[in-house]
């Protein structure tokens, strides 16, 4: 029979897996407590970093329906549970790992899909959701402005053509 404290830990981790849009697993061997505190701050407000026990975390992940991480629960493992924008947290992890080579990104999961360490680095290279949405809005606005200009140009061009035709007919009528 499982000990109640371990069962509670598994239930808590399972809730974190279910409520997170993304989870990134890391190896933190060689990092000091101060460095881990800095890492937690660098992840942003929408992420929580925790040092986890491999066996309990593997059970919790499997209970939450995530089996793609099973082979990554080796060595000292830390998990970043991301509830907000995964790009911001991935950038925080990447930047921290550049400054502290002891942090190794193992892999993770995003919306139920497995991510390799390289996938997480590519995710970190993306611009944030807000920036991408503003670029999309700018593109839409630009296309609308072009369409408005085109629609305004047609009637004014028609008026100029009709006026030129009227002047030409008046000149021809006056020359005869």
């Amino acid at each position: 029979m499982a000990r109640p404290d371990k069962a509670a830990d598994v239930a808590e981790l399972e809730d974190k897996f279910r409520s997170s849009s993304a989870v990134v697993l890391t190896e933190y061997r060689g990092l000091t407590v101060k460095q881990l505190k800095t890492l937690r701050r660098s992840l942003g407000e929408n992420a929580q970093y925790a040092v986890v026990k491999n066996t309990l975390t593997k059970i919790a992940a499997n209970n939450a329906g995530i089996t793609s991480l099973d082979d990554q629960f080796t060595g000292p493992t830390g998990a970043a549970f991301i509830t907000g924008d995964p790009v911001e947290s991935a950038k925080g992890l990447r930047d921290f790992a550049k400054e502290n080579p002891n942090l190794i990104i193992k892999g993770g999961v995003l919306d139920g899909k497995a991510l390799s360490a390289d996938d997480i680095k590519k995710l970190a290279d993306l611009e944030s959701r807000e920036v991408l949405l503003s670029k999309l809005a700018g593109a839409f606005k630009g296309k609308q402005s072009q369409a408005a200009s085109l629609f305004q140009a047609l009637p004014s061009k028609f008026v100029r053509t009709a006026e030129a035709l009227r002047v030409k007919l008046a000149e021809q009528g006056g020359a005869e």
Side-chain angles (χ1 to χ4, degrees), residues 28-40 49 51 96 100 102-103:
Y28 63 90
R29 188 187 325 252
L31 293 177
T32 65
V33 173
K34 185 178 179 182
Q35 289 172 321
L36 286 174
K37 189 175 181 181
T38 305
L39 170 61
R40 285 182 176 100
Y49 186 81
V51 172
F96 185 86
N100 301 284
N102 287 335
L103 181 76

Side-chain angles (χ1 to χ4, degrees), residues 25-26 54 68-75 77 106-108 115-117:
L25 298 180
T26 65
N54 289 330
S68 58
L69 299 176
D70 286 354
D71 60 333
Q72 296 177 7
F73 292 112
T74 57
T77 303
K106 294 180 179 182
L115 296 175
S116 68

Side-chain angles (χ1 to χ4, degrees), residues 15 61 73 81 84 89 99 106 110 115 127:
D15 286 342
F73 292 112
F81 296 98
S89 298
E99 295 172 14
K106 294 180 179 182
L110 174 65
L115 296 175
E127 294 180 9

Side-chain angles (χ1 to χ4, degrees), residues 46-96:
N46 299 322
Q48 184 180 16
Y49 186 81
V51 172
V52 295
K53 293 186 178 190
N54 289 330
T55 306
L56 299 180
T57 309
K58 184 177 179 180
I59 292 169
N62 288 334
N63 289 348
I66 300 170
T67 57
S68 58
L69 299 176
D70 286 354
D71 60 333
Q72 296 177 7
F73 292 112
T74 57
T77 303
F81 296 98
I82 304 165
T83 55
D85 184 12
V87 174
E88 177 186 352
S89 298
K91 285 181 188 208
L93 282 168
R94 178 199 60 197
D95 294 344
F96 185 86

